[in-house]
Amino acid sequence: MSPLKTLLSILSLFVVLGILSIVYPEKGISLGSKEDPFLTLRFPALTDIFEKAETEVVQVDSNATPIEKLQAVDPEEALKQMLAATRQKEFTEFSDSLKFYEDFFKEGMTRFDLPNNDPTWFDRFFKHLEQAATDSSVIHIVHYGDSQLEEDRISATIREDLQERFGGGGPGMLPVFLGTPSQTSSYWNNGEQTGALVRHLIFGDTSDLAPHRRYGILAQMADLHGAATINLKKRVDRKGKVDAFPHVGGYATVKVLANKRGNLKLTLLYDSTSVDSVGVNEDGTTKYKTKVKNVKAAAPEVEKMNKLAVYTWKLPDTTSSIKIQMSGNAEIYAISADGRYGVAVDNVAMRGSSGTIFHRIDEELLAESYKAMNAKLIIMEYGGNMVPGMNSNKSKVDWLKNIITKQIKAIQTANPDADIVFIGPADMAKQIDGKWMTYPGLAITIETLRQIALENGLAYWDMHRVMGGNRSMMKWVKQSPPLGSADYVHFTRKGASYMGELFGEALKVHYDHYKFRERHEISNSKLKEIQTFSDSLRSNAMATEEPAAPKAPEAAE
């Protein structure tokens, strides 16, 4: 019989059986008397067949494999079980991988305190960092602080670490007048001696105040009347030591920030280095000679905003030495020397300041300056100068909250696209009853600043905790070589460098966490699900742990 005839025969049989199941009496056909039939013929109805198929309970062997167990149940239910098992396996793997990060975020000594304990807080900043390399732009991290930052301390180490990782060069923004020498750059101007340049500061001695609020992004400015020259080059270590900051000398983008209404003429000269072959060495290798010549750059590009004028040179070569000649009548707010793309970290040290000055800077000028410099992260490192006069008195705490909140709001208003990290004071000690002790007002200062930062959406980094807590400054001073200076307040250069390394490492943990989530396509909502899953596992583990046996009482002495 052909396959087609066989199929038709089977279908015909199913049709006949289907008709019989419909027309066959529900109670069957009885043979014999109606009251006492000796045989009843029944035929199952279609509803009986399908109801049984739907409600039949399948017994599964307890020794069956997972696949056999899934095959033994309804396909839809099996699919749900498979998805649940896959999700649990995936979440378990992610939970294990993320545990290191979660432990650091919760308990790490160098951790950041983050608003709502959100581990994704730095994501926007990291995207800006990566975008800089993609579109060949420079983003600035403006590091404001007190005398702990002088000489480009702390900032230099953070800068070097980020420029190594994300590209960039140069020291970033510098004021016309550098209050203290820098450990990374040689910088000077002749305008002070000639009288062509006069400095005005918004912090420090009131005699240095300007008759206006136009201090700009560095909280200071210089009035130019006449001609002056500014020189900048990378500082060379004459002792022949290993260069600790190799990227700080890579100038490729130079900017001058001045007032729009000024009458300013600028000329840039820079050292251009060339290497030429000049023969053959005795061993047969090519002999080279390095030549350095001073080159005059083309005229700068000029961008004028409402209050700010930005003069920009894009140099054809990277250099480590520039000279800016200026003349006219103008207000100069900053000089910037950066790489061609990547990261710039600006060291803005304000001796004696508590950072209570930002609300007094011209709002529009500050906003235009942040925009011109593409500032995407602001670091506020303050508090140390408040500690000596601080206590838990409510009026002092309220004053601190109000004044620091006002500064944060001023920066956020001027630059809503930037994130802000607040670095609190380090451990500080003074002699009490002949012993070096941590300042009594330090604890309340730290807790108040932390609270202010978190309430206003800032990250907080606790230098006091990072150092080791109370009395840690004494240990830092006693290190060999010392990490803390003899005043038990400031870091040595080595201590400041170490603090910068710790900050950079803490930031790197967050960046690694960011890249892990990116690789595995873990969205913020999925991350929260994984965290909830992890918490439930830990809660279950704690609940199933056997309680420790009661400790036997010690014998009485």
Side-chain angles (χ1 to χ4, degrees):
M1 182 180 292
S2 68
L4 179 60
K5 291 182 179 180
T6 302
L7 177 61
L8 291 174
S9 299
I10 293 171
L11 291 175
S12 300
L13 178 60
F14 282 155
V15 171
V16 172
L17 292 174
I19 294 172
L20 284 174
S21 67
I22 295 173
V23 301
Y24 207 88
E26 184 178 350
K27 295 183 179 181
I29 300 175
S30 299
L31 300 178
S33 63
K34 186 175 181 181
E35 293 78 10
D36 186 23
F38 64 86
L39 181 64
T40 300
L41 301 176
R42 300 180 184 277
F43 195 89
L46 290 175
T47 55
D48 294 335
I49 297 172
F50 289 120
E51 283 179 6
K52 183 177 181 181
E54 290 177 356
T55 59
E56 183 178 10
V57 178
V58 178
Q59 298 295 327
V60 181
D61 186 353
S62 60
N63 295 322
T65 66
I67 296 297
E68 290 171 338
K69 290 179 180 179
L70 288 173
Q71 291 174 340
V73 298
D74 177 74
E76 184 177 354
E77 181 62 28
L79 181 60
K80 289 181 180 179
Q81 291 183 22
M82 288 176 65
L83 291 174
T86 301
R87 181 176 181 273
Q88 182 171 5
K89 181 175 182 296
E90 178 190 38
F91 275 26
T92 300
E93 291 175 351
F94 284 147
S95 177
D96 291 341
S97 299
L98 291 169
K99 187 177 185 305
F100 163 77
Y101 300 109
E102 293 175 358
D103 289 346
F104 174 79
F105 298 154
K106 291 178 181 178
E107 301 174 3
M109 193 171 173
T110 62
R111 69 185 183 274
F112 290 92
D113 297 310
L114 300 169
N116 302 314
N117 296 316
D118 180 10
T120 68
W121 187 87
F122 281 102
D123 284 9
R124 180 171 72 161
F125 171 61
F126 293 145
K127 289 175 183 176
H128 288 314
L129 280 179
E130 295 181 336
Q131 186 64 31
T134 302
D135 59 16
S136 297
S137 62
V138 177
I139 74 162
H140 276 252
I141 300 171
V142 189
H143 189 181
Y144 295 110
D146 51 32
S147 54
Q148 285 281 30
L149 300 189
E150 287 185 336
E151 300 179 348
D152 199 15
R153 296 183 304 164
I154 302 181
S155 307
T157 307
I158 297 172
R159 178 192 304 120
E160 185 64 31
D161 179 61
L162 290 174
Q163 289 180 343
E164 174 68 24
R165 200 177 311 159
F166 297 102
M173 286 187 289
L174 297 165
V176 173
F177 291 88
L178 201 59
T180 55
S182 167
Q183 64 175 327
T184 58
S185 303
S186 296
Y187 181 82
W188 67 97
N189 75 72
N190 67 349
E192 187 174 14
Q193 291 78 18
T194 64
L197 287 168
V198 179
R199 179 177 67 167
H200 295 289
L201 305 172
I202 199 172
F203 58 92
D205 196 323
T206 56
S207 62
D208 292 326
L209 291 173
H212 51 71
R213 300 173 62 223
R214 299 186 300 275
Y215 292 94
I217 194 169
L218 301 183
Q220 62 175 284
M221 51 82 63
D223 273 322
L224 172 69
H225 297 285
T229 300
I230 294 176
N231 295 268
L232 171 65
K233 64 180 180 179
K234 179 183 174 182
R235 184 175 292 280
V236 178
D237 188 349
R238 296 177 181 176
K239 296 180 181 179
K241 295 181 181 178
V242 176
D243 188 354
F245 308 106
H247 292 86
V248 77
Y251 320 153
T253 306
V254 179
K255 292 178 183 286
V256 173
L257 273 60
N259 63 321
K260 175 184 176 182
R261 301 182 185 278
N263 176 24
L264 181 62
K265 293 182 180 179
L266 295 170
T267 300
L268 176 66
L269 302 172
Y270 68 97
D271 286 351
S272 177
T273 303
S274 61
V275 180
D276 302 320
S277 61
V278 292
V280 180
N281 294 313
E282 293 181 359
D283 60 358
T285 59
T286 305
K287 187 176 183 179
Y288 294 100
K289 184 177 181 180
T290 300
K291 294 181 180 179
V292 178
K293 61 179 179 178
N294 200 243
V295 178
K296 180 180 178 181
E301 298 178 3
V302 183
E303 178 187 5
K304 292 194 175 183
M305 303 181 185
N306 192 38
K307 291 190 174 182
L308 185 70
V310 184
Y311 299 81
T312 303
W313 291 270
K314 294 283 189 180
L315 303 180
D317 308 309
T318 298
T319 184
S320 296
S321 178
I322 60 173
K323 180 184 293 185
I324 300 175
Q325 298 172 338
M326 54 181 64
S327 62
N329 297 292
E331 295 173 0
I332 312 297
Y333 306 119
I335 309 293
S336 180
D338 305 321
R340 206 171 305 283
Y341 71 90
V343 190
V345 178
D346 315 301
N347 175 266
V348 191
M350 307 178 193
R351 178 179 293 189
S353 176
S354 296
T356 59
I357 47 85
F358 295 96
H359 71 292
R360 295 192 281 123
I361 299 175
D362 184 285
E363 299 90 344
E364 188 174 13
L365 178 61
L366 185 60
E368 290 181 355
S369 300
Y370 282 136
K371 181 179 179 181
M373 301 311 297
N374 199 23
K376 297 303 183 186
L377 182 68
I378 311 297
I379 302 176
M380 302 175 70
E381 185 175 327
Y382 295 106
N385 290 306
M386 296 176 173
V387 169
M390 193 64 186
N391 57 45
S392 57
N393 184 283
K394 185 177 183 302
S395 62
K396 289 198 173 185
V397 172
D398 289 344
W399 173 84
L400 181 58
K401 287 182 178 179
N402 291 334
I403 193 66
I404 296 300
T405 299
K406 188 178 290 187
Q407 311 318 307
I408 292 170
K409 295 297 185 185
I411 294 176
Q412 289 175 329
T413 300
N415 194 353
D417 196 35
D419 297 300
I420 306 176
V421 174
F422 201 105
I423 299 180
D427 187 48
M428 301 165 52
K430 69 174 185 175
Q431 285 196 335
I432 302 176
D433 297 330
K435 296 182 180 180
W436 286 101
M437 303 291 290
T438 293
Y439 270 87
L442 183 60
I444 187 63
T445 304
I446 290 173
E447 286 312 307
T448 304
L449 290 174
R450 190 197 320 274
Q451 180 184 349
I452 296 167
L454 297 180
E455 287 179 353
N456 287 279
L458 279 63
Y460 185 85
W461 200 61
D462 189 345
M463 280 202 298
H464 177 257
R465 179 177 63 208
V466 169
M467 290 180 69
N470 283 354
R471 298 180 58 82
S472 56
M473 180 56 82
M474 282 73 91
K475 297 177 182 177
W476 281 47
V477 172
K478 293 177 181 178
Q479 289 287 323
S480 181
L483 301 178
S485 67
D487 64 3
Y488 289 82
V489 172
H490 296 89
F491 302 128
T492 60
R493 280 190 181 180
K494 188 172 183 63
S497 180
Y498 181 48
M499 188 59 69
E501 289 174 8
L502 293 174
F503 182 91
E505 287 300 317
L507 192 63
K508 185 177 184 297
V509 173
H510 279 273
Y511 184 68
D512 289 346
H513 182 248
Y514 165 77
K515 297 304 289 184
F516 178 88
R517 290 181 284 115
E518 183 182 72
R519 285 194 304 272
H520 297 283
E521 300 180 343
I522 301 176
S523 64
N524 289 358
S525 58
K526 187 174 182 179
L527 181 63
K528 291 178 181 178
E529 287 185 65
I530 295 171
Q531 290 171 331
T532 302
F533 174 78
S534 300
D535 292 341
S536 66
L537 288 182
R538 290 168 188 164
S539 297
N540 292 337
M542 292 176 63
T544 56
E545 285 182 359
E546 293 185 5
K551 187 177 180 181
E554 295 180 359
E557 294 182 356

